[in-house]
Amino acid sequence: MRVAMLTWEYPPRIVGGIARHCEGLAKALAQQGHEVHVFSLDFPGAPDYEEQAGIRIYRTRSEVGHPNFLTWVLLFNHYIEKRMADTSKLVDFDVLHVHDWLSAPVGIAFKHFARKPLVFTAHSTEHGRSGLHIPDSFTIDGLEWWSTYEANKVIVTSASMKGEVCGHFHVSDSKVEIIPNAIDPTVYDGQVDKGAVRARWGIQPHEKLVLCVGRLVPQKGIEYLIHAVPILSRRRPETKFIIVGDGWYRDHLEYIANTSGQRWKITFTGFISDWDLVALTKSADVMVVPSIYEPFGIVALEGMAAGVPVVASQIGGLTEFIEHDRTGVFVYPRNPESISWGVDHVLSNPGHADWLVKNAREVVRKTYSWEAVAKRTAKVYKEVVG
Amino acid sequence: MPEEFRVLSMMHNIGAVTAERSLTVDELAQWTGMDAGTVKAYVQKLREDGYVEFVQISGIEKYHVTRTGIMKVLTLYS
């Protein structure tokens, strides 16, 4: 099968989970003998074209820009469409696979031009991410609806997202396939010197490290974790908190941290390297995922694979792969008291925490592999190609 | 959303993401519709935070978004 995968982010251009998802899926599809062509945007330092593990990656520069985001999106879609048109003179794609609305215009146009089936993965919705309050949001919502309408098949990563897509866009149940996200657990196989890693981030041997990883945007609920810091500190003064990631909401989160009375306990790292993230995750005592909107929640899966107990909001896709008090601990979303309870629950019962980690690792390795996800995705391709 | 972030986002969207596509403060002021003094102050703050880089091309001061800055901007839309 010759697959044209369209995504606005692909490593090293990494924003959220989409880049990782596309990379994992593309690699596994290529390993299973499919010919994968990834069309994405340029990124400083990354080549315009390269072949990686059998995947052909086309990074396209938008020659014309515009201060307005939506205008910019439509402009870059035009340049990707031009690149795809050139490539299609040499490659007869069997299927087009669009990830999220950002590259949907080119996918939809190409579907009609080349008469090829279109698969659309809805990783999240504008309605769920931020609600529909401003004109741009309504346009994005419209583009998302249009994508689900034009697609021969829609893929979502959780039952929660399926409900959202079918309910909000009035898509028929049979058109939407649930294929979960996955991770590469071997990334966490190496040994790290936990003491050295913790020392590097200012964590003393007697202190407990609570880790939170994610884009610093409201839907990740990080403010509720920060509000939990003073509560937890009363119960467990030895806890310290590291928040990894960056985003447009960071200034606000730092303001909340500054007014918490416990600022010295909270470190904002910004973006860090993949290796640093793996080392830090493996060295943490607890990972907290305090999201208030989470179509899947791949970061929790990463924590589970890394062997760190996960305390997560009982919300969205997280509820579909975490089992309370067996593979992780659920807390109420938007509830600092509950987050504080969850962390304390894990730290107070080291034996139980080890059992959670063991169970979680088993679930991740058995169920959430890219090999399985690629097989299920290829089945969808076959179905739409006919 | 902080105002300087709006400037960062606009710089990204108009393509000022590499040294060869960097822009002067006056050019940025034209693109964004802000006065040059305000743009200069925001760009300075963004530079201190590592989201914008300064380059000098033929003696002219120009600015572009860094890789970290690009990733920060993109969080707004995902």
Side-chain angles (χ1 to χ4, degrees):
Chain A
M1 195 86 71
R2 282 179 293 273
V3 184
M5 191 179 284
L6 285 77
T7 171
W8 85 316
E9 50 166 313
Y10 193 84
R13 184 187 179 89
I14 301 167
V15 187
I18 299 176
R20 297 277 185 228
H21 176 99
C22 290
E23 184 183 42
L25 176 61
K27 275 185 183 169
L29 284 167
Q31 273 166 11
Q32 287 167 21
H34 300 285
E35 190 178 306
V36 185
H37 299 254
V38 176
F39 291 87
S40 190
L41 279 172
D42 68 337
F43 194 72
D48 287 350
Y49 174 81
E50 67 176 319
E51 290 183 22
Q52 252 182 33
I55 309 158
R56 290 149 214 215
I57 306 159
Y58 309 79
R59 295 189 184 89
T60 302
R61 182 163 111 168
S62 186
E63 299 293 341
V64 181
H66 190 281
N68 175 268
F69 174 66
L70 279 175
T71 311
W72 172 71
V73 168
L74 295 174
L75 284 165
F76 84 60
N77 267 267
H78 164 74
Y79 284 96
I80 293 180
E81 189 174 356
K82 192 177 149 205
R83 188 87 181 264
M84 277 187 73
D86 287 342
T87 310
S88 69
K89 288 173 193 160
L90 305 167
V91 184
D92 185 22
F93 300 117
D94 296 305
V95 63
L96 312 168
H97 189 169
V98 168
H99 291 266
D100 260 7
W101 68 276
L102 290 127
S103 52
V106 53
I108 293 167
F110 216 81
K111 168 198 162 187
H112 288 279
F113 170 76
R115 297 181 186 280
K116 299 295 178 187
L118 175 70
V119 174
F120 175 67
T121 294
H123 290 271
S124 63
T125 67
E126 181 71 1
H127 179 257
R129 279 190 300 271
S130 50
L132 306 179
H133 306 298
I134 56 169
D136 279 8
S137 283
F138 283 99
T139 305
I140 293 168
D141 183 57
L143 283 164
E144 286 171 344
W145 164 79
W146 187 29
S147 308
T148 61
Y149 174 77
E150 290 280 358
N152 299 73
K153 200 91 188 181
V154 176
I155 294 174
V156 292
T157 54
S158 65
S160 146
M161 261 306 281
K162 181 168 180 171
E164 201 179 318
V165 164
C166 291
H168 185 65
F169 298 124
H170 307 290
V171 181
S172 79
D173 193 72
S174 59
K175 191 176 181 178
V176 183
E177 190 79 28
I178 302 169
I179 303 179
N181 244 316
I183 56 156
D184 176 6
T186 60
V187 167
Y188 302 96
D189 283 349
Q191 292 292 316
V192 297
D193 182 345
K194 291 185 184 180
V197 172
R198 291 162 68 102
R200 191 182 148 207
W201 293 100
I203 310 295
Q204 303 301 317
H206 70 282
E207 290 174 330
K208 298 292 180 190
L209 167 56
V210 180
L211 181 69
C212 178
V213 181
R215 284 171 294 125
L216 304 189
V217 295
Q219 61 261 35
K220 296 297 174 192
I222 295 165
E223 62 200 88
Y224 301 102
L225 171 63
I226 298 171
H227 285 307
V229 172
I231 304 168
L232 188 62
S233 293
R234 283 197 292 273
R235 292 177 190 166
R236 296 196 151 269
E238 77 280 20
T239 44
K240 280 203 173 163
F241 301 79
I242 293 185
I243 297 169
V244 177
D246 207 333
W248 67 269
Y249 206 49
R250 179 170 173 171
D251 282 0
H252 182 66
L253 294 175
E254 292 212 38
Y255 169 77
I256 297 173
N258 289 342
T259 54
S260 69
Q262 305 282 324
R263 181 66 181 89
W264 61 280
K265 285 189 165 190
I266 308 167
T267 301
F268 289 86
T269 67
F271 294 120
I272 61 174
S273 73
D274 288 352
W275 165 242
D276 281 337
L277 181 56
V278 168
L280 198 50
T281 306
K282 284 176 70 102
S283 305
D285 294 296
V286 188
M287 173 185 271
V288 177
V289 185
S291 304
I292 56 174
Y293 172 71
E294 198 61 85
F296 185 80
I298 200 163
V299 71
L301 213 54
E302 288 168 343
M304 289 160 75
V308 54
V310 172
V311 172
S313 293
Q314 190 170 18
I315 200 162
L318 293 165
T319 61
E320 294 167 41
F321 64 86
I322 296 174
E323 199 181 326
H324 179 61
D325 239 6
R326 207 188 80 80
T327 58
V329 172
F330 276 136
V331 294
Y332 297 118
R334 301 174 192 267
N335 189 327
E337 185 67 49
S338 183
I339 294 171
S340 171
W341 170 83
V343 174
D344 188 36
H345 179 62
V346 168
L347 294 179
S348 302
N349 304 286
H352 185 59
D354 288 344
W355 185 71
L356 294 177
V357 163
K358 184 177 157 281
N359 294 338
R361 268 191 162 146
E362 214 173 285
V363 167
V364 173
R365 284 178 192 261
K366 267 189 190 159
T367 319
Y368 297 96
S369 73
W370 282 118
E371 192 190 346
V373 167
K375 273 184 188 159
R376 291 176 65 179
T377 306
K379 205 173 151 200
V380 171
Y381 294 162
K382 261 188 195 159
E383 197 183 321
V384 297
V385 168
Chain B
M1 187 193 310
E3 271 303 304
E4 73 264 17
F5 185 75
R6 212 176 289 276
V7 172
L8 183 72
S9 179
M10 286 182 178
M11 286 177 74
H12 167 267
N13 295 347
I14 59 182
V17 292
T18 54
E20 72 264 24
R21 299 179 84 182
S22 55
L23 298 169
T24 64
V25 165
D26 285 341
E27 286 168 333
L28 286 170
Q30 282 177 348
W31 269 106
T32 58
M34 294 175 172
D35 69 83
T38 308
V39 170
K40 176 98 182 169
Y42 289 148
V43 164
Q44 199 50 45
K45 167 84 168 61
L46 291 165
R47 203 182 149 199
E48 284 163 15
D49 293 341
Y51 301 126
V52 159
E53 199 167 311
F54 163 80
V55 286
Q56 203 155 27
I57 298 172
S58 308
I60 300 167
E61 293 181 5
K62 294 185 167 192
Y63 298 89
H64 68 87
V65 183
T66 60
R67 288 165 67 115
T68 308
I70 294 172
M71 285 153 76
K72 172 128 177 163
V73 167
L74 300 184
T75 64
L76 188 56
Y77 311 114
S78 59

